[in-house]
Amino acid sequence: MNSWYDKRQYLKYFFIVAAMLIAAGSLFVSNSMVTKLADEERQKMEVWTEAYRFFLMEDTIADPYMLMLKVIGGNTTIPVILFDEKTNVIEQRNLTVPEKNKEMFFKEKMEEFRTRHEPFVVEVGDKTQYLFYDDSILLKRLEMYPYIQLLVVAVFVLISFLALASTKRAEQNKVWVGLSKETAHQLGTPISSLMAWVEYLKTKEIDATYLTEMEKDVRRLEMIADRFSKIGSTLEPLPLNINDVVKSACGYMESRISQKVKLILKLSDTPELTLMNEALFSWVIENLTKNAVDAMDGQGAIIYQVGRKGRKIFVDVTDTGKGIAKSKFNAIFNPGYTTKARGWGLGLSLVKRIVESYPGGKIFVKASEPGKGTTFRIEMRKYGKKD
């Protein structure tokens, strides 16, 4: 059975197809209307021309004369210019003529009108006159209508897509937060039990070294549960020196990874304060370290470099592993993306969520080359007054 998210994907495509059909239908109807209106305006101009020809005839009687005069004067929308054989202007209508350079203005309009419509030729006796005309304002607006409508549809599709994506992200966040808190809740009972057993074993004659290591692991489980419980919660970040947090996280991981992996710290010479939650940010460093160890197949070097550029503090984590294809730079942060046979694909997604929850927080692949290694960059906003 398909999941709700799969159905949402089909719904998104339905919206896109529906919008495209609406746009295509609108273009067809609008273009049909434009064609009909253009034909109608040309017919009007034929009537206007014929009326003008009769108007010039000497034997025009009074009533037809008045009728034709009304027809000619009835044109209040279509720009018209009537030229004689020497391109002198005889009559013009519906044009705003400037006070200066009138001759140049009419010649430019003549060429402009010619590109849109063939002029009418008016034969009156031995005289020939030429009627040039343009589309009316209504027709021009109607020509623009389908493109405006297409733009509106495109905006509609964009809004629909963003709404669907936003809703999907919100639902995923709820699932993510719910899963995290439920995990923390489920871990709580066995951790409490283990802590009680450690305290009980301390009363027995057992090697203290074993108990110490057991207690460390129990405390570690307790910290993991605490981290899961903090995801999705509104936490008050504290100004901490990022050098200390990175050093502490690396110190913890150093004894828990392959001895063939060397951790190299290049910390800043000065304290670099930024707002963060230490437990969650340590989780970020630990996840990046684990990914780097996996990418290097358990041997190589990982370099942690802390620095500052303007108002931004950065942490670069560089490994000597397999590298990442450039096309995957963004995909690796998506939930479910993994190259491991038994991986869940949640590590880097979790890292991204934690980092971006801080003001100005950002994480991305700074550089990577297949076969040579990868550099992840974390950016945080510097805490304190501006320099």
Side-chain angles (χ1 to χ4, degrees):
M1 184 175 66
N2 292 333
S3 68
W4 168 244
Y5 293 126
D6 293 333
K7 293 179 181 178
R8 289 285 297 277
Q9 287 293 106
Y10 289 120
L11 185 62
K12 177 180 68 176
Y13 295 134
F14 170 78
F15 270 113
I16 294 173
V17 172
M20 291 175 65
L21 290 175
I22 292 171
S26 299
L27 284 172
F28 175 78
V29 172
S30 299
N31 285 334
S32 176
M33 292 174 62
V34 168
T35 302
K36 290 180 179 179
L37 186 57
D39 292 341
E40 183 179 339
E41 290 199 351
R42 184 165 184 85
Q43 290 175 3
K44 288 181 179 179
M45 294 315 303
E46 289 176 352
V47 172
W48 194 95
T49 304
E50 192 67 15
Y52 184 77
R53 187 173 67 81
F54 278 109
F55 174 71
L56 294 178
M57 293 176 60
E58 295 180 358
D59 58 346
T60 303
I61 58 176
D63 287 343
Y65 173 82
M66 294 301 296
L67 176 61
M68 287 181 278
L69 189 63
K70 183 176 181 181
V71 171
I72 295 172
N75 174 29
T76 59
T77 59
I78 304 175
V80 173
I81 308 176
L82 185 67
F83 293 94
D84 63 14
E85 295 175 336
K86 297 181 180 180
T87 67
N88 295 316
V89 177
I90 300 174
E91 179 69 27
Q92 66 83 18
R93 283 188 179 276
N94 305 317
L95 286 171
T96 303
V97 183
E99 294 295 329
K100 299 179 180 180
N101 300 322
K102 291 184 179 180
E103 185 176 349
M104 181 63 67
F105 171 79
F106 284 119
K107 285 184 178 179
E108 290 176 355
K109 285 296 179 182
M110 180 179 69
E111 294 302 322
E112 180 184 336
F113 291 178
R114 191 198 302 272
T115 59
R116 296 178 182 173
H117 303 285
E118 284 295 321
F120 289 102
V121 179
V122 183
E123 298 287 350
V124 182
D126 58 348
K127 295 181 180 180
T128 303
Q129 297 174 356
Y130 301 92
L131 179 72
F132 290 82
Y133 74 100
D134 193 11
D135 296 328
S136 66
I137 295 176
L138 176 62
L139 182 58
K140 289 179 179 178
R141 287 177 179 175
L142 192 56
E143 287 175 344
M144 291 297 298
Y145 168 74
Y147 301 101
I148 295 173
Q149 192 174 30
L150 186 61
L151 178 62
V152 171
V153 171
V155 171
F156 163 75
V157 172
L158 179 61
I159 292 173
S160 300
F161 179 80
L162 292 176
L164 286 171
S166 177
T167 304
K168 183 177 179 180
R169 281 196 300 270
E171 291 178 354
Q172 287 179 336
N173 284 336
K174 287 181 180 179
V175 173
W176 183 273
V177 172
L179 180 61
S180 300
K181 292 188 178 298
E182 180 62 21
T183 301
H185 176 71
Q186 293 295 333
L187 285 173
T189 302
I191 288 173
S192 299
S193 179
L194 287 172
M195 290 176 66
W197 276 108
V198 170
E199 293 301 321
Y200 172 75
L201 292 175
K202 286 180 180 180
T203 65
K204 305 298 180 179
E205 295 181 1
I206 298 176
D207 191 337
T209 305
Y210 299 148
L211 289 174
T212 301
E213 291 303 315
M214 288 178 63
E215 190 170 19
K216 285 182 180 178
D217 287 335
V218 172
R219 295 296 179 189
R220 172 66 179 170
L221 284 172
E222 190 177 26
M223 183 180 67
I224 291 172
D226 181 60
R227 286 173 173 175
F228 274 110
S229 68
K230 287 183 169 72
I231 294 176
S233 301
T234 304
L235 302 174
E236 189 67 31
L238 301 174
L240 299 173
N241 182 2
I242 202 168
N243 290 302
D244 296 338
V245 179
V246 172
K247 185 177 180 180
S248 175
C250 290
Y252 172 80
M253 292 300 297
E254 194 166 18
S255 60
R256 288 166 173 78
I257 59 175
S258 171
Q259 298 301 309
K260 295 180 181 179
V261 176
K262 186 177 182 181
L263 305 186
I264 303 170
L265 297 179
K266 295 184 178 180
L267 305 178
S268 176
D269 296 331
T270 58
E272 301 295 354
L273 297 179
T274 185
L275 291 174
M276 67 167 69
N277 178 277
E278 184 174 1
L280 292 180
F281 193 81
S282 296
W283 204 359
V284 169
I285 300 299
E286 291 171 20
N287 266 309
L288 291 177
T289 302
K290 289 176 183 177
N291 279 355
V293 172
D294 290 339
M296 298 186 298
D297 293 326
Q299 59 181 5
I302 307 174
I303 302 171
Y304 305 84
Q305 183 175 359
V306 178
R308 178 159 60 92
K309 188 175 182 181
R311 295 290 301 168
K312 291 183 179 179
I313 296 172
F314 65 84
V315 180
D316 287 346
V317 181
T318 305
D319 63 55
T320 55
K322 300 173 185 176
I324 303 169
K326 193 171 183 180
S327 61
K328 304 296 184 183
F329 279 13
N330 292 324
I332 58 174
F333 293 103
N334 293 334
Y337 180 88
T338 181
T339 57
K340 303 173 188 176
R342 297 183 180 181
W344 283 37
L346 297 178
L348 287 176
S349 175
L350 176 63
V351 163
K352 183 178 176 67
R353 288 171 182 269
I354 292 173
V355 172
E356 292 185 350
S357 67
Y358 300 123
K362 186 179 180 182
I363 182 169
F364 55 92
V365 180
K366 181 185 177 185
S368 186
E369 188 174 346
K372 292 189 177 181
T374 301
T375 298
F376 283 91
R377 167 161 285 193
I378 302 169
E379 289 184 353
M380 306 283 283
R381 188 179 299 165
K382 183 181 182 298
Y383 175 78
K385 298 179 180 179
K386 293 184 179 180
D387 297 336

